[in-house]
Amino acid sequence: MKQSLIALAILGTFAGAASAATNVTLYGAVELGYSDLFGKGEFAKGATPDVKGLTGLPAMVKPGIVGAAQGILGHSVVQSPRRSDRFGIMGEEDLGNGISAIFKLEANLKADNGEGQLFNRESTIGVKGKFGEVKIGRAKSQVELATGGLTGTHGVTDVDLYAISSTRHSNGLFYEYKNSGFTVGADVTTKGGGWGNDSEGTDGSKIGYGARLGYYGNGLLARIAYQNDGPVVASPVPSAIGKKQHEWAGVLAYNFYEGQKIPLAIGVSYAQGKGMAQGFFSATGLNPVDTVYAKKASTLGAIVRTWFSPNDTAYVLYQKRKSTAESGETLNNAWALGLGYEHKLSKRTAVAIDTVYLKAKNVGVASPYGFVGFPVSAKAYGYSVGLSHSF
């Protein structure tokens, strides 16, 4: 009897604690499939790497990078996760007077091999109320928030819409306010979001910051954002270190739903900036040799999506990328055309198939010892088929 009373007392203690606990939600998204991108890369007009004056390791590295460039599109079927695969925990506690404490921990998920970085997507804590939402930690940057969610693509057509900006800001202060379809957002970070920038509060370092304005209502989506990621701290292009990185982006889309025999959605996005720019091959997970420092980089994207039934969706995607070096030379001048189809097996589970054609010229090829010579031209065909589930 005494033991039973002790057990009841212990259970009562836990019950009391549970009733006062934060409301916690587990969520995530997993997509896996097989994809293949195949084609070839080659140096135009017989261009060769310049190894004059280099000895030892530098001379060995440059021909090695050339080989990587020429084999950039090696034929290989791989099992690959989606860029947005994630696992997260978020919670909220009512503090009274319309104010709540909030937290969010979101991890990158690589379901193909079980790898991932714990809570690298977001790790924040904050408060929210009628004044909006204020949080500190690591979260999505403003350009990422402005361009994210426009395409909703899969597999080989799942590429970034921005040109320069970092997707996350660390050690930041974030603010967002929503009212009547309008959204205002901003953030400032002691760690500039630029390439390799992991310094914090050191003498001479510069902050990163961004601002965003958006509207969604009656089928219309409009967003604009500006982001300054601070100077480049580490880069495969040594001459880029210390140089500026900033970008602005805009998105406009409209959904034709009500009263339409064939529902249709169209959207366009444009981003332009200065800094470390990636081409299509880096964005699609291929050998990332096409990252350059550009005095101007731009990305134009467009998508048309239609629904044949509540469970069947098809889309056509177009994207064009272009970078201009400080010398004025055009780099990573490329475009892509994609076609995709998705069938929902349930509210949370879907199968998808995608195909894409990529064509690029003047691809910048960098090594720790500078450029090995360009232009490199390349083209690729690709397809993917996968299964996704969200929870």
Side-chain angles (χ1 to χ4, degrees):
M1 181 69 178
K2 185 176 182 180
Q3 289 180 337
S4 299
L5 290 174
I6 293 174
L8 286 172
I10 293 173
L11 288 174
T13 300
F14 278 107
S19 66
T22 302
N23 180 22
V24 176
T25 301
L26 301 179
Y27 69 94
V30 184
E31 177 172 344
L32 272 177
Y34 284 92
S35 63
D36 190 11
L37 278 162
F38 51 94
K40 66 177 182 178
E42 60 183 15
F43 281 87
K45 299 179 181 179
T48 57
D50 180 11
V51 295
K52 184 178 179 180
L54 296 179
T55 59
L57 183 60
M60 295 173 62
V61 168
K62 284 199 170 186
I65 297 295
V66 172
Q70 292 173 329
I72 192 173
L73 301 173
H75 188 72
S76 177
V77 176
V78 297
Q79 188 184 82
S80 58
R82 193 177 184 180
R83 288 185 302 114
S84 59
D85 282 1
R86 60 197 180 275
F87 169 77
I89 308 169
M90 59 183 179
E92 180 175 339
E93 181 185 11
D94 186 0
L95 302 177
N97 299 318
I99 300 175
S100 298
I102 56 174
F103 79 89
K104 188 174 184 180
L105 300 171
E106 188 173 286
N108 183 42
L109 181 64
K110 294 184 177 180
D112 57 328
N113 57 15
E115 294 181 355
Q117 190 172 349
L118 196 60
F119 306 138
N120 66 318
R121 291 179 60 90
E122 180 165 341
S123 53
T124 58
I125 185 170
V127 293
K128 72 173 186 179
K130 294 181 179 180
F131 52 84
E133 180 179 283
V134 180
K135 57 187 180 182
I136 57 175
R138 173 178 170 85
K140 286 184 178 180
S141 64
Q142 300 306 307
V143 166
E144 169 73 359
L145 289 168
T147 59
L150 175 65
T151 57
T153 53
H154 302 267
V156 292
T157 61
D158 185 26
V159 292
D160 299 325
L161 293 176
Y162 41 83
I164 297 291
S165 296
S166 174
T167 61
R168 302 292 190 276
H169 275 174
S170 297
N171 290 77
L173 172 65
F174 302 86
Y175 174 73
E176 184 177 75
Y177 177 77
K178 296 181 179 181
N179 190 355
S180 303
F182 288 94
T183 301
V184 177
D187 75 89
V188 60
T189 170
T190 56
K191 288 186 177 181
W195 187 296
N197 195 344
D198 57 1
S199 60
E200 179 182 0
T202 57
D203 185 30
S205 65
K206 295 183 179 180
I207 64 173
Y209 59 89
R212 168 176 50 95
L213 176 64
Y215 173 78
Y216 180 74
N218 300 316
L220 176 66
L221 171 67
R223 300 179 187 144
I224 189 169
Y226 172 78
Q227 186 169 317
N228 188 318
D229 283 330
V232 179
V233 174
S235 167
V237 186
S239 61
I241 296 177
K243 293 182 178 178
K244 296 178 180 180
Q245 293 198 120
H246 58 87
E247 179 176 10
W248 70 270
V251 167
L252 184 64
Y254 191 79
N255 295 328
F256 301 87
Y257 288 112
E258 299 297 330
Q260 301 296 318
K261 293 181 179 179
I262 302 179
L264 186 71
I266 59 174
V268 294
S269 69
Y270 181 77
Q272 179 178 308
K274 179 178 183 178
M276 296 302 301
Q278 290 187 332
F280 276 122
F281 303 119
S282 293
T284 54
L286 292 171
N287 200 341
V289 299
D290 60 330
T291 300
V292 300
Y293 183 80
K295 70 175 183 180
K296 179 181 178 181
S298 61
T299 301
L300 173 65
I303 188 169
V304 177
R305 184 184 296 272
T306 187
W307 288 258
F308 301 110
S309 77
N311 296 323
D312 295 277
T313 306
Y315 59 85
V316 177
L317 171 74
Y318 172 80
Q319 189 175 149
K320 180 176 177 60
R321 293 191 175 201
K322 184 178 180 181
S323 302
T324 304
E326 293 183 297
S327 63
E329 187 161 5
T330 299
L331 302 174
N332 292 349
N333 189 5
W335 59 271
L337 183 65
L339 178 65
Y341 172 78
E342 178 186 273
H343 173 70
K344 290 185 177 180
L345 300 174
S346 69
K347 183 178 180 180
R348 299 181 178 274
T349 304
V351 292
I353 183 170
D354 299 77
T355 183
V356 70
Y357 174 70
L358 303 168
K359 188 171 183 179
K361 59 182 179 180
N362 297 344
V363 177
V365 184
S367 79
Y369 303 98
F371 287 100
V372 300
F374 45 78
V376 176
S377 298
K379 60 182 177 181
Y381 304 88
Y383 70 89
S384 62
V385 57
L387 176 68
S388 64
H389 178 79
S390 60
F391 59 93

